[in-house]
Amino acid sequence: MDSSPLDRTRAIDLLRTMETIRAFETRIEALFKQGLLPGFVHSCAGQEAIATGVCSRLDRADCITSTHRGHGHAIAKGIELDAIFAELYGKAAGACGGRGGSMHVADFSIGMLGANGIVGGGFGIAVGAAFAARYQRREQVAVCFFGDGAANKGTFHEALNFAGVHALPVVFVCENNRYAQFTAASRTTAVADISVRAAAYGIEGDSIDGNDLLAVIDATDRAVARARSGGGATLINMATYRHSGHYVGDAEQYRSREEVAASRSEQDPIQRFTAHIVAAGVVTESEIADVRLAVEARIDAAQQFAEAAPFPDPATAMRDVFTEAGS
Amino acid sequence: MDSSPLDRTRAIDLLRTMETIRAFETRIEALFKQGLLPGFVHSCAGQEAIATGVCSRLDRADCITSTHRGHGHAIAKGIELDAIFAELYGKAAGACGGRGGSMHVADFSIGMLGANGIVGGGFGIAVGAAFAARYQRREQVAVCFFGDGAANKGTFHEALNFAGVHALPVVFVCENNRYAQFTAASRTTAVADISVRAAAYGIEGDSIDGNDLLAVIDATDRAVARARSGGGATLINMATYRHSGHYVGDAEQYRSREEVAASRSEQDPIQRFTAHIVAAGVVTESEIADVRLAVEARIDAAQQFAEAAPFPDPATAMRDVFTEAGS
Amino acid sequence: MGSRRMTFGQATLEAMQYAMDEDPNVVVIGEDISWGGNFGQFRGLVDRYGPERVVDMPISESLIVAMAVGASAAGLKVVASMSFVEFTLGAMDEIVNQASKFRYMFGGQVSVPIVLRASDGVRGSSGAQHSSSLEGMFCNVPGLKVVAPSNGDDAKGLLRAAIADPDPVVYLEHKQITGQRSEVADGDHVVPLGSAKIVRPGSDISVVTYSNMVNHALVAAEELASLGVSVEVVDLRSLVPLDVATIAASAARTGVVLAAHESWTFGGFGAEILAQVRECVPDQSQLRTHRLGARSAPIPFSPTLEPAIVPGAADLVAEIRRILAV
Amino acid sequence: MGSRRMTFGQATLEAMQYAMDEDPNVVVIGEDISWGGNFGQFRGLVDRYGPERVVDMPISESLIVAMAVGASAAGLKVVASMSFVEFTLGAMDEIVNQASKFRYMFGGQVSVPIVLRASDGVRGSSGAQHSSSLEGMFCNVPGLKVVAPSNGDDAKGLLRAAIADPDPVVYLEHKQITGQRSEVADGDHVVPLGSAKIVRPGSDISVVTYSNMVNHALVAAEELASLGVSVEVVDLRSLVPLDVATIAASAARTGVVLAAHESWTFGGFGAEILAQVRECVPDQSQLRTHRLGARSAPIPFSPTLEPAIVPGAADLVAEIRRILAV
Ligand SMILES: Cc1ncc(C[n+]2csc(CCOP(=O)(O)OP(=O)(O)O)c2C)c(N)n1
Ligand SMILES: Cc1ncc(C[n+]2csc(CCOP(=O)(O)OP(=O)(O)O)c2C)c(N)n1
Ligand SMILES: [Mg+2]
Ligand SMILES: [Mg+2]
């Protein structure tokens, strides 16, 4: 973790992460539409600032829990691109040996405790990780990413209450993209700003523009510092927007083309960040172009790796149900 | 429902209900300690003002959901004493034919939708009843009684959020007796006053002294009026104290004798109410004594009824699993 | 009356409409329900009946079921979309401790007429949390009925019966067939719960099955016919109530029973089918009973692993050949 | 080494202490846990190990399990008291969708060493929500181990094994025996999961059972001995893994199997036991398989109804006499 001001190296690092997530999601979406990927996928394009900003302030040993829309979190936390790409193909070289797929990407070696196909599944797991860190006197933080829709699950309540009682080192980050599947948050959620709910648990609440990478970083710094210093949990509402449909293939009849276009053109977190760093003279346009080229090359390589990798041997299908090797 | 000021008739009605609950619980506790009752029982002695005050402001058609500590709710809502007494004995003449027992006393004909052995089980059921009333354009209210401990269940959150979104005619009444089983609320609950949580659902919160019958009535009137007029749900924290242990037999090592004694002598809702009405000249001491005598006689009669009633025939054990009669 | 080709999902939609037109107290609740459901099973309902009757729910599965219980005890009939069957696990307390027990433990005072519609089964790499079949759990819970149609026509008739039923019904719709087209009888019709159907008569072995495995069994039977093997396929249609008479009669005729399902073999419903056969077929001496289901693992994502855990038509063929030694 | 008389609950407490003394990463969480548990199974632990290690939880069952999953994936071993087994239903999503699948779906990256202790069974009018036995559900879930001891000595050894086990274990303690005294071996000992025990040898019939039904079976066997009937009682001790070899050997010896349990017959674990017997005993021609369990109803409160639904020793005697026609 580097808390120095935004110099060229840091800016390029941050940009590279956001661009990598965007390029990954764009590529995956294209491959899926061509019928080349199994299962189904949820793109986080448009929401890159949150994963990137938050994870940039975490140590490797800090943990995160993620969601069905979890590629960005995994990438920002540092998963190998080859491993995540191969996982989405269901290949043996995937992060989970092809067992998990898009909704279950995980890499415990970097504290990425798993995407989760169960909405709201991460709250208690993050609390458990924070509890373990506290118990073992490790100076670690757990971050739980979740959507606005997940904030209506009972698991939210149980986890935040306990985190509040025990002042656990956990940060609850709501990626509030205003929709859960095809339903606008206002139709199912009693409050617009999820951070209002912090008061119900005696914890700190914060609310920021989640498409503003620097605002994400600032809010994360405050919350992580609080967690590490024994000040307890924080609930942050980060406003954002998803550029693509709920899943790849979604007809998106629940929102207007104008709304999507406006967000893409005015709220795109990558555009906003690049505009900022160029204007501030930290990075040049051509450096940005270089980053993009390098990222594309990296994605190409990962795709090639994934495509070339073998599928798991069906004879291994019973392995790892239990810790003793299966047959 | 009578919203006139506290005249003699109303005061005696209210007192009779509280005294009936107290006498019922006292008798049940004694019978249980003698080993005469099956299963286990939870006494609500000390909390009578809440059940009595709230239910006194409801119509017969209004619904309530109750808890494992539900005898008072059932009695205040108007269950036949014979039926509840026989139910606790497991007799065929019991409110549920002896199928339910203490934790499952119900009488749907008077809107008593059941005590519940699952903590937090009533939240969604009350919301469902309120939803049905709204859908069928009935001017009805649902009241959900629950304990401070239940406020940490995820079901609380899911139900209150939905009630908030749809402004449903439901009143959530927290009987905050400061303990859940043997654990003080402060050790498991992030906020002391549960009504703080109302803001998380965009509904009204209220907090009162639940041992003050008149305060209970006032708060209920406000909430019920709001519900009936389309103003939506209310969450009320009602502070109270249980005189007995969590269940009959509880060694009560988690709280001091002094604490219990102080509450019994200073906070007893019945004593406080009688002191008030006598001081106000509404009812005389001798009228109060008459009420008590009549209540004792009624409890005696119910006990005799229950003891004399036959047990269900084992041959009927498979009835009512499904609506078609079983064998 | 005639019939039309439509998807299983559309067939259920017709049943919903008959039920909703008939009884204004039938309401439908579920997440994103006004957007039509994952397989179009609810498409257009909100336009026809309005958002007060077709209610979009928050992501709050335990509330969905609890609310259905409360509303149905108060006079409504509630069809709740649970989306993927794994999400019912988040409402298991409400399903088992409340819905299934309400009528009995309250001494018959109320019924709980709710239908929980849930999509189960594998559909090509949906992963461990979106591929399971959980009827093994539901069937072990007294007070729940469990329905698992294999085709659109039955789906329509069984859903009509499920909504008309006064008690809680878990209605399982297999993901792989909800979007598939088949002939569905016109007009209103009811398939009573508890009526199995012999969808292909045969004399060498009785495959007793339900849901999409019926379709696999029909494929397998066709293939085995070319080897001279005559397979009888019994489609249970509802698991609770279970039509033991039809199973027992088939078993008595063929003498060999294979209970087959997609869900896990160990502790699964196939064992119950076989136990029933053993209890009901009078002459046990010649009877042979077998079962086929998923191996005991969560359903893997990878296209090469999924079919190694969950059986399909080819596995049925292989198992029947092994059993009959052909 | 000697032994001492103590309750089943106290025996488990000894196992907890050996485990906690050995490994500082073993923590215990549960509602009111510092008050010792409903049957004293946790008494004194908080004094010995402190409130950071023996943690009182809010009434938040789904959090309890999810937190156990997260904490165990992060290096702890968590024993979670679920109190009554019906409360696990409020955490079924966490048990099935997370705990049981974590290791497999993440490709073996982590294990989830948690033990969920839950009190099941009838204990005299505890009512519909506090009397059930739910092993039928748990055993159908791949990735979960399931333990159900019948006596204090096994309870101690099996709990020791469960805590040592790297995977999620559901540890079922029957309410009727948790407070009962019996001889428990001194010192540290382990009963490996998957090892059934013949607790009474016999030659006429094999009663294959577990949990408190073992005790009923022993009573029944004693009574039947006076009629000249020799009953073998097989105590499974763990249901997953299941010691099929011991069951099959007993079945082969006696030729008649009665699978017995307190939980519901229909869709229950007894059917699985019988299916295993049919699959593993080589000579099927003379084999007879039967089962006894609860009738399909929620458990009623009334003292006259409860025993009409849930079987006990007298029902076992009657059933065995019916089967053997004596
Ligand atoms: C327990 C559960 N219920 C429902 C679903 C189906 N589902 C998948 S994503 C989703 C919407 C989630 O919305 P939100 O939390 O806002 O996340 P977003 O998709 O917007 O990132 C739903 C309802 C699920 N996966 N799990
Ligand atoms: C889901 C569930 N978890 C745990 C229990 C065990 N239990 C019964 S009563 C109780 C305490 C309830 O506390 P509170 O809600 O404050 O009600 P009170 O007993 O104080 O009236 C607990 C934990 C239960 N019955 N149901
Ligand atoms: Mg969202
Ligand atoms: Mg309390």
Side-chain angles (χ1 to χ4, degrees):
Chain A
M1 199 181 64
D2 174 8
S3 59
S4 56
L6 197 63
D7 62 16
R8 188 180 157 283
T9 319
R10 259 193 83 208
I12 286 187
D13 275 355
L14 289 165
L15 179 65
R16 188 186 302 110
T17 303
M18 290 208 291
E19 292 283 8
T20 304
I21 298 172
R22 177 70 54 91
F24 183 86
E25 295 295 54
T26 306
R27 185 68 57 87
I28 290 297
E29 193 156 346
L31 291 169
F32 188 84
K33 284 181 177 158
Q34 292 167 57
L36 295 173
L37 282 174
F40 42 93
V41 286
H42 306 91
S43 161
C44 72
Q47 309 186 172
E48 294 87 350
I50 298 176
T52 303
V54 171
C55 292
S56 75
R57 313 311 289 167
L58 301 180
D59 293 333
R60 187 187 166 94
D62 293 323
C63 294
I64 65 167
T65 63
S66 171
T67 69
H68 57 286
R69 201 175 302 289
H71 306 159
H73 308 136
I75 292 170
K77 194 70 175 61
I79 202 167
E80 292 292 336
L81 280 184
D82 288 358
I84 183 172
F85 221 121
E87 186 61 31
L88 268 65
Y89 271 93
K91 297 297 182 73
C96 305
R99 300 290 183 79
S102 165
M103 274 191 295
H104 308 292
V105 169
D107 184 347
F108 285 76
S109 72
I110 55 165
M112 164 44 176
L113 307 189
N116 212 308
I118 298 297
V119 169
F123 295 117
I125 295 169
V127 163
F131 174 85
R134 155 84 56 87
Y135 179 79
Q136 294 185 332
R137 308 248 185 288
R138 290 184 265 118
E139 263 243 334
Q140 255 170 251
V141 172
V143 173
C144 171
F145 292 104
F146 66 101
D148 47 287
N152 296 326
K153 279 286 291 184
T155 51
F156 169 92
H157 183 68
E158 298 192 355
L160 273 77
N161 176 60
F162 189 80
V165 171
H166 289 268
L168 288 179
V170 54
V171 183
F172 299 98
V173 174
C174 181
E175 300 184 296
N176 192 333
N177 61 10
R178 294 163 44 196
Y179 293 91
Q181 292 201 139
F182 324 119
T183 303
S186 58
R187 302 188 51 235
T188 55
T189 313
V191 293
D193 178 349
I194 301 298
S195 74
V196 167
R197 293 184 169 167
Y201 312 111
I203 65 174
E204 287 298 318
D206 201 350
S207 192
I208 61 142
D209 178 351
N211 291 334
D212 177 347
L213 179 63
L214 299 177
V216 171
I217 289 175
D218 284 350
T220 305
D221 281 345
R222 289 190 294 272
V224 167
R226 182 175 299 125
R228 290 205 209 279
S229 66
T234 306
L235 170 62
I236 317 179
N237 186 77
M238 299 195 180
T240 187
Y241 199 78
R242 62 169 149 77
H243 286 180
S244 303
H246 167 61
Y247 47 64
V248 180
D250 175 1
E252 293 184 64
Q253 295 179 318
Y254 49 90
R255 57 183 193 178
S256 68
R257 281 168 199 278
E258 293 71 40
E259 180 181 300
V260 180
S263 184
R264 277 184 187 244
S265 66
E266 291 154 32
Q267 296 297 328
D268 185 304
I270 300 184
Q271 276 173 35
R272 285 174 60 182
F273 183 63
T274 51
H276 171 79
I277 54 181
V278 169
V282 180
V283 180
T284 66
E285 293 276 8
S286 92
E287 285 171 320
I288 290 173
D290 288 348
V291 167
R292 290 201 174 127
L293 277 177
V295 162
E296 280 301 321
R298 199 54 211 87
I299 296 289
D300 287 341
Q303 181 183 338
Q304 277 155 30
F305 172 85
E307 284 171 357
F311 280 107
D313 179 351
T316 65
M318 287 301 291
R319 272 195 206 145
D320 285 318
V321 176
F322 294 115
T323 301
E324 309 81 66
S327 65
Chain B
M1 198 180 65
D2 174 8
S3 59
S4 57
L6 197 65
D7 61 16
R8 189 179 155 281
T9 318
R10 261 191 82 209
I12 286 186
D13 276 355
L14 291 165
L15 179 64
R16 187 185 303 110
T17 304
M18 291 210 290
E19 292 283 9
T20 302
I21 298 172
R22 177 70 55 91
F24 183 86
E25 296 296 53
T26 307
R27 184 69 58 86
I28 290 298
E29 194 155 344
L31 291 169
F32 188 85
K33 284 182 177 156
Q34 292 167 55
L36 296 174
L37 283 175
F40 41 93
V41 287
H42 306 91
S43 162
C44 72
Q47 308 187 176
E48 295 87 350
I50 298 176
T52 302
V54 171
C55 292
S56 75
R57 313 312 288 166
L58 301 180
D59 294 332
R60 186 186 168 96
D62 293 324
C63 294
I64 65 168
T65 62
S66 171
T67 69
H68 56 288
R69 202 176 301 290
H71 306 158
H73 307 136
I75 292 171
K77 194 70 173 65
I79 202 169
E80 291 292 335
L81 281 183
D82 287 359
I84 185 172
F85 221 121
E87 187 60 31
L88 268 66
Y89 269 94
K91 297 297 181 72
C96 304
R99 300 290 183 80
S102 165
M103 273 192 295
H104 307 293
V105 170
D107 184 348
F108 286 75
S109 71
I110 55 166
M112 163 45 174
L113 307 189
N116 212 307
I118 298 297
V119 170
F123 294 116
I125 295 170
V127 163
F131 174 85
R134 155 84 55 89
Y135 180 79
Q136 296 186 330
R137 308 249 186 287
R138 289 183 266 117
E139 264 243 331
Q140 254 170 250
V141 172
V143 173
C144 171
F145 291 103
F146 65 101
D148 47 287
N152 296 327
K153 279 287 289 183
T155 51
F156 170 91
H157 184 66
E158 298 193 355
L160 272 77
N161 176 59
F162 189 80
V165 171
H166 288 269
L168 288 179
V170 53
V171 184
F172 299 98
V173 174
C174 181
E175 300 183 297
N176 192 332
N177 61 12
R178 296 163 43 195
Y179 292 91
Q181 291 201 137
F182 325 119
T183 303
S186 58
R187 303 190 48 236
T188 55
T189 313
V191 294
D193 178 349
I194 301 298
S195 73
V196 166
R197 294 184 168 167
Y201 312 110
I203 65 175
E204 288 297 319
D206 200 351
S207 192
I208 61 142
D209 177 350
N211 290 333
D212 176 347
L213 179 63
L214 299 178
V216 171
I217 288 175
D218 283 350
T220 305
D221 281 345
R222 289 190 295 272
V224 167
R226 182 176 299 124
R228 289 204 208 281
S229 65
T234 307
L235 170 62
I236 316 178
N237 186 77
M238 298 196 182
T240 186
Y241 199 80
R242 62 168 150 76
H243 285 180
S244 302
H246 167 61
Y247 48 64
V248 179
D250 174 1
E252 292 183 67
Q253 295 178 318
Y254 50 88
R255 58 183 192 177
S256 67
R257 280 170 199 279
E258 293 71 39
E259 181 182 302
V260 180
S263 184
R264 277 183 186 246
S265 65
E266 290 152 33
Q267 297 297 328
D268 185 305
I270 300 183
Q271 275 172 35
R272 284 173 61 183
F273 183 63
T274 50
H276 171 79
I277 52 180
V278 169
V282 180
V283 180
T284 66
E285 292 278 9
S286 92
E287 286 171 321
I288 292 173
D290 288 347
V291 167
R292 290 197 175 130
L293 277 177
V295 162
E296 280 301 321
R298 196 60 208 83
I299 297 289
D300 286 342
Q303 181 184 337
Q304 277 156 27
F305 171 84
E307 283 172 357
F311 279 107
D313 179 351
T316 64
M318 287 301 291
R319 270 196 207 145
D320 285 316
V321 176
F322 293 117
T323 301
E324 310 80 67
S327 65
Chain C
M1 268 212 277
S3 69
R4 282 160 302 141
R5 272 186 89 72
M6 65 181 79
T7 67
F8 179 118
Q10 286 162 341
T12 66
L13 197 48
E14 295 203 349
M16 297 288 290
Q17 289 181 5
Y18 282 110
M20 294 179 79
D21 288 342
E22 180 180 272
D23 182 354
N25 284 321
V26 175
V27 302
V28 190
I29 66 177
E31 292 157 24
D32 305 284
I33 194 83
S34 66
W35 296 104
N38 288 319
F39 304 93
Q41 318 98 292
F42 301 97
R43 191 160 297 148
L45 284 183
V46 74
D47 304 320
R48 193 163 166 150
Y49 303 103
E52 290 193 4
R53 227 180 139 185
V54 180
V55 184
D56 281 324
M57 297 297 292
I59 309 178
S60 302
E61 284 80 11
S62 60
L63 174 71
I64 291 174
V65 177
M67 181 171 137
V69 170
S72 68
L76 303 187
K77 278 177 165 271
V78 185
V79 180
S81 161
M82 302 302 297
S83 193
F84 290 75
V85 78
E86 282 94 339
F87 309 160
T88 63
L89 294 165
M92 216 52 166
D93 175 54
E94 289 71 19
I95 296 172
V96 180
N97 280 325
Q98 312 296 346
S100 83
K101 295 175 184 172
F102 240 54
R103 179 173 178 81
Y104 188 87
M105 78 182 170
F106 294 142
Q109 290 184 61
V110 278
S111 295
V112 180
I114 68 180
V115 178
L116 305 178
R117 294 184 61 174
S119 294
D120 65 355
V122 296
R123 186 166 169 270
S125 296
S126 297
Q129 294 171 340
H130 289 70
S131 301
S132 316
S133 297
L134 301 179
E135 71 278 8
M137 288 190 168
F138 295 123
C139 290
N140 192 213
V141 179
L144 292 184
K145 297 183 179 176
V146 181
V147 175
S150 69
N151 63 77
D153 194 49
D154 283 349
K156 179 175 171 180
L158 288 166
L159 183 56
R160 194 73 169 94
I163 301 175
D165 197 279
D167 297 308
V169 180
V170 176
Y171 182 95
L172 301 168
E173 22 203 330
H174 194 287
K175 287 195 282 294
Q176 224 172 86
I177 50 178
T178 315
Q180 270 177 21
R181 285 172 193 284
S182 63
E183 286 296 315
V184 174
D186 290 338
D188 196 10
H189 72 276
V190 172
V191 173
L193 308 188
S195 62
K197 186 177 176 183
I198 295 179
V199 289
R200 180 181 172 119
S203 53
D204 294 330
I205 186 170
S206 302
V207 178
V208 180
T209 184
Y210 51 91
S211 187
N212 194 38
M213 193 57 86
V214 172
N215 301 306
H216 292 314
L218 290 172
V219 170
E222 195 59 36
E223 187 174 329
L224 288 160
S226 65
L227 294 177
V229 178
S230 170
V231 176
E232 177 149 302
V233 180
V234 181
D235 182 352
L236 292 176
R237 307 202 289 193
S238 82
L239 312 186
V240 182
L242 182 65
D243 182 354
V244 179
T246 298
I247 305 172
S250 176
R253 272 196 304 278
T254 64
V256 189
V257 176
L258 174 61
H261 51 57
E262 220 187 87
S263 64
W264 300 294
T265 302
F266 190 91
F269 195 68
E272 179 60 37
I273 295 172
L274 299 187
Q276 293 284 343
V277 167
R278 289 281 168 194
E279 281 156 12
C280 298
V281 175
D283 179 12
Q284 297 272 318
S285 58
Q286 298 306 317
L287 188 67
R288 294 163 60 201
T289 50
H290 299 270
R291 56 186 177 153
L292 179 67
R295 296 165 81 188
S296 290
I299 316 300
F301 171 79
S302 180
T304 58
L305 297 180
E306 189 186 89
I309 297 297
V310 180
D315 302 282
L316 273 169
V317 170
E319 181 64 9
I320 293 168
R321 294 187 65 168
R322 193 190 64 75
I323 292 169
L324 300 180
V326 288
Chain D
M1 266 213 277
S3 69
R4 283 160 301 142
R5 272 186 88 71
M6 64 181 78
T7 67
F8 178 117
Q10 287 163 342
T12 67
L13 198 49
E14 294 203 350
M16 296 290 289
Q17 290 182 4
Y18 282 110
M20 294 179 80
D21 288 342
E22 181 180 88
D23 182 353
N25 284 321
V26 175
V27 302
V28 191
I29 66 176
E31 294 157 23
D32 305 287
I33 193 85
S34 67
W35 296 104
N38 288 319
F39 304 94
Q41 316 99 295
F42 302 97
R43 191 159 297 150
L45 284 182
V46 73
D47 304 320
R48 193 162 167 152
Y49 303 104
E52 290 194 5
R53 228 181 139 184
V54 181
V55 184
D56 282 322
M57 298 296 292
I59 308 178
S60 302
E61 283 80 12
S62 60
L63 173 71
I64 291 173
V65 177
M67 179 170 138
V69 170
S72 67
L76 303 187
K77 278 178 165 270
V78 184
V79 180
S81 161
M82 303 302 296
S83 193
F84 290 73
V85 78
E86 281 94 340
F87 309 159
T88 62
L89 293 164
M92 215 57 168
D93 176 55
E94 290 71 19
I95 296 172
V96 179
N97 280 325
Q98 311 296 345
S100 83
K101 295 176 183 172
F102 239 55
R103 179 173 180 82
Y104 188 86
M105 77 181 172
F106 294 141
Q109 290 183 59
V110 279
S111 295
V112 180
I114 68 179
V115 179
L116 304 178
R117 293 184 61 173
S119 294
D120 66 354
V122 295
R123 186 167 170 268
S125 296
S126 297
Q129 294 170 340
H130 289 71
S131 301
S132 315
S133 297
L134 300 179
E135 70 278 7
M137 288 191 169
F138 296 122
C139 290
N140 192 214
V141 179
L144 292 183
K145 297 183 179 176
V146 181
V147 175
S150 69
N151 63 75
D153 194 49
D154 283 349
K156 179 175 171 180
L158 288 166
L159 183 57
R160 195 74 169 96
I163 301 175
D165 196 279
D167 296 307
V169 180
V170 176
Y171 182 95
L172 301 168
E173 22 203 327
H174 194 288
K175 288 193 283 292
Q176 224 172 87
I177 51 179
T178 316
Q180 270 176 23
R181 285 171 192 285
S182 63
E183 285 298 313
V184 174
D186 290 337
D188 197 8
H189 71 276
V190 171
V191 173
L193 307 188
S195 61
K197 186 177 176 185
I198 295 176
V199 290
R200 178 181 174 120
S203 53
D204 295 329
I205 186 169
S206 302
V207 178
V208 180
T209 183
Y210 51 91
S211 187
N212 193 36
M213 194 58 87
V214 171
N215 301 307
H216 292 314
L218 290 172
V219 170
E222 195 60 37
E223 187 173 329
L224 287 160
S226 65
L227 295 176
V229 178
S230 169
V231 176
E232 177 148 303
V233 180
V234 181
D235 183 352
L236 293 176
R237 305 202 289 193
S238 82
L239 312 187
V240 183
L242 182 66
D243 181 354
V244 178
T246 298
I247 304 172
S250 175
R253 273 197 303 278
T254 64
V256 188
V257 176
L258 174 62
H261 52 56
E262 218 187 88
S263 64
W264 299 294
T265 302
F266 190 90
F269 195 68
E272 179 60 36
I273 295 172
L274 299 188
Q276 293 285 344
V277 167
R278 288 282 166 191
E279 281 155 12
C280 298
V281 175
D283 179 12
Q284 296 272 317
S285 59
Q286 298 306 317
L287 188 66
R288 294 163 60 200
T289 50
H290 298 270
R291 58 188 176 151
L292 179 67
R295 298 163 80 188
S296 290
I299 316 298
F301 171 79
S302 179
T304 58
L305 298 179
E306 189 186 88
I309 297 298
V310 180
D315 302 281
L316 275 169
V317 170
E319 181 64 9
I320 294 169
R321 293 187 65 169
R322 194 190 64 75
I323 293 169
L324 300 180
V326 290

